[in-house]
Amino acid sequence: MDEYKVPYLILFNRVTDVLEALETSGMADIREMLIRAQQEAEEAFIEAGI
């Protein structure tokens, strides 16, 4: 189960960032943040060999 810890934390933290952005910014910024969250999680899975 530990192999999922880093990707989970990345995704959780980025979702938190998006939720905060929802309060203050426009949709374009939020879209880019979600795309980056997906990319970071994918990179972590690849690095972990999952």
Side-chain angles (χ1 to χ4, degrees):
M1 189 71 167
D2 287 336
E3 65 268 9
Y4 294 101
K5 186 175 183 178
V6 171
Y8 171 79
L9 291 175
I10 290 169
L11 186 57
F12 180 86
N13 288 328
R14 296 301 167 257
V15 169
T16 299
D17 293 343
V18 172
L19 292 172
E20 291 173 359
L22 281 169
E23 296 180 22
T24 61
S25 70
M27 295 302 281
D29 292 340
I30 293 168
R31 181 180 176 277
E32 292 303 316
M33 292 173 75
L34 286 170
I35 289 169
R36 186 64 195 141
Q38 289 175 324
Q39 292 170 338
E40 287 184 34
E42 289 171 352
E43 290 168 7
F45 274 106
I46 290 168
E47 289 176 11
I50 299 172

